[in-house]
Amino acid sequence: MSKKPYKLEARNLNAYYGGFHALKDINIAMEEKAVTAFIGPSGCGKSTFLRTLNRMNDYIDGFRVEGDILLDGRDIYNKDIRVDELRKEVGMVFQKPNPFPKTVFENVVYGLKIQGIKDKKVLAEAAESSLRKTALWEEVKDKMDKSALALSGGQQQRLCIARALAISPSVVLMDEPTSALDPISTAKIEELIYELKNDYTIVIVTHNMQQAGRVSDQTAFFYMGELVEYAKTKTMFTSPKHERTQNYITGRFG
Amino acid sequence: MRVQERIIEGLLWLSAVITIFVTVGIIWVLLSESLTFFSEVSVLDFLTDKQWTPLFAEKHFGILPLVAGTLLTTAIAISVALPIGLTIAIYLNTYAPAGFRATIKPMLEILASIPTVVYGFFALTVVTPFLQTFIPNLAGFNSLSAGIVMGIMIIPMISSLSEDAISAVPKSLREGAYGMGATRFQTAFGVLVPAASSGILVSIILAISRAVGETMIVAIAAGQQPRLTANPLVPVETITTYIVQVSLGDVPHGSLEYRTIFAAGITLFIFTFALNNLSFWIRKKYQEKYD
């Protein structure tokens, strides 16, 4: 089997919040249509790194990056790149479900509407197909014009994933997507991640070691802004190279 | 120690109760004087007569011209303050760098601290002559320039309260929109403003309430001619202006003419009371929607 091409790459990446050096010389390459998990203790830089991948940190005062992040070989911090275009390619799901205070339907088609798509048929089809991908269609098809805030937390999070998928990104970033959910909803989302990797490149930040073990192909362990270890998930969880990684995944600290 | 505690507690209680007594007292005076007024003038006449001429030989007691003057100046003020105030709020919240925001916000508040009498003669001596250069038939006293200047005065009210409302929209919603590839403009108008709509509405209502009760600017610049009109170019009289006019004039105490100001006052009070309660109700009802 030939090696999959790299979808996302960071080269000598450094990031700063004002004077604070948040990411130190990160080098990592992520495969296409695979799940990469970022783990590490709070404040280790994993979320910061995730958010540089779609330039979500751009609006934070004093934040700056050095080095390159390549998406399909193109530097996303290049001046020619339009941030809103980039984010249509690199979708994002957040820690807490954050549906807009609009109807279920309006939430799913939001990304399409802001691109200027008005055709009702196109929107309705896109909504259905995205909701089917997240296994939410059967649950919400009769509630399309109800407020999204009336859904359960787990449904809201799957709605947010559907919303992200509706604009057909090739990469989906997930920032601790199950940390606010109950175990059953969490299991559903994990199942979903497993399915989605057939079509999407997924990068997930998680606090939950078991989750990283269950859903990811590759795992990256961050500590104090450094990428300590990056390996196949199975390898890392059975025979980590570094003592820090070993200590973290066995729960001795963090 | 116990005694001191009790004295302090008593003083605190007293200061709370005094404000209540004063409020009740004011309402009582308003009510009793206007009840006497309405025993001589029928409420129906008061509400339907199209003329307000209590100081003339042929007396008419129709409040409509004063209400019209008040609503006209208020409408002009809001149509100036709302677009500008909301634009400022969105700019400050979404586009402005933090440093710039920190400077500009207090500077805006200065607008609110200028004495209204200064605004009044600014309207009369600067804005009206300026407007007359391209609206030749604009009267020296008119609701247009008074309304515009009043609008400028209440800009900070709308911008400040609306900015607070937009800031209170959870960060996750803003990021959700950005994460979908929304531009700042799309995020501001498609997500933030709708999500903050109750707060923005409250700011508008409070601004209306402020404009309805505003006295100095309209007394100086809008004229003192009660007139049932929607024409912004001619002199009008607002409820507040009329009260000033009679209070400062030589109308004998206890006369029917004198009591008209209480009738006018209670009309004004009903307006502002209703508006303030409406804003309070909206805030209560929609406040926790996104928590």
Side-chain angles (χ1 to χ4, degrees), chain A residues 1-235:
Chain A
M1 204 177 112
S2 69
K3 205 168 182 314
K4 287 179 183 174
Y6 290 129
K7 180 74 185 174
L8 269 168
E9 249 185 291
R11 290 187 187 157
N12 306 322
L13 186 84
N14 284 281
Y16 307 84
Y17 293 106
F20 176 65
H21 197 169
L23 291 173
K24 296 168 188 161
D25 212 26
I26 307 288
N27 282 285
I28 190 171
M30 288 165 264
E31 285 171 7
E32 185 166 24
K33 296 185 182 172
V35 179
T36 306
F38 294 171
I39 60 169
S42 298
C44 69
K46 59 190 190 300
S47 279
T48 302
F49 182 50
L50 188 80
R51 283 159 170 266
T52 57
L53 299 176
N54 68 343
R55 296 183 50 177
M56 212 57 182
N57 291 325
D58 276 20
Y59 300 136
I60 296 176
D61 279 312
F63 182 82
R64 64 179 209 282
V65 285
E66 288 163 3
D68 301 324
I69 291 181
L70 307 178
L71 172 68
D72 296 320
R74 280 160 61 224
D75 182 9
I76 63 168
Y77 277 91
N78 192 301
K79 280 200 194 83
D80 306 335
I81 300 281
R82 276 185 54 184
V83 159
D84 46 320
E85 296 295 334
L86 166 72
R87 292 182 187 144
K88 287 167 192 160
E89 191 63 28
V90 184
M92 189 159 194
V93 176
F94 298 84
Q95 198 167 352
K96 254 177 72 184
N98 59 347
F100 301 125
K102 300 172 189 273
T103 64
V104 173
F105 179 76
E106 288 295 329
N107 264 280
V108 189
V109 302
Y110 177 80
L112 298 169
K113 278 201 165 172
I114 59 173
Q115 290 178 27
I117 297 169
K118 291 198 186 84
D119 189 329
K120 285 209 174 97
K121 222 179 122 201
V122 174
L123 293 176
E125 279 168 10
E128 180 174 343
S129 100
S130 308
L131 289 168
R132 280 191 191 282
K133 279 184 200 158
T134 55
L136 198 57
W137 175 250
E138 293 301 325
E139 292 166 50
V140 302
K141 64 180 177 190
D142 302 321
K143 299 181 189 163
M144 295 297 273
D145 52 0
K146 296 267 160 55
S147 168
L149 301 175
L151 301 179
S152 75
Q155 287 175 325
Q156 287 188 9
Q157 192 62 306
R158 279 184 286 151
L159 177 65
C160 290
I161 297 175
R163 182 175 75 179
L165 299 182
I167 50 173
S168 328
S170 58
V171 180
V172 179
L173 309 177
M174 298 185 171
D175 190 358
E176 299 185 41
T178 62
S179 65
L181 303 181
D182 61 86
I184 294 170
S185 304
T186 300
K188 280 189 183 166
I189 302 257
E190 288 182 7
E191 220 171 281
L192 182 60
I193 293 171
Y194 200 78
E195 301 247 321
L196 291 177
K197 81 172 180 187
N198 292 321
D199 300 308
Y200 304 90
T201 304
I202 293 172
V203 186
I204 177 171
V205 164
T206 177
H207 258 122
N208 180 331
M209 230 71 62
Q210 286 77 24
Q211 182 168 70
R214 283 191 298 263
V215 302
S216 69
D217 303 301
Q218 303 272 332
T219 299
F221 172 62
F222 288 81
Y223 184 72
M224 303 275 280
E226 287 177 42
L227 176 58
V228 176
E229 190 164 350
Y230 177 49
K232 275 203 161 31
T233 303
K234 272 186 200 137
T235 318

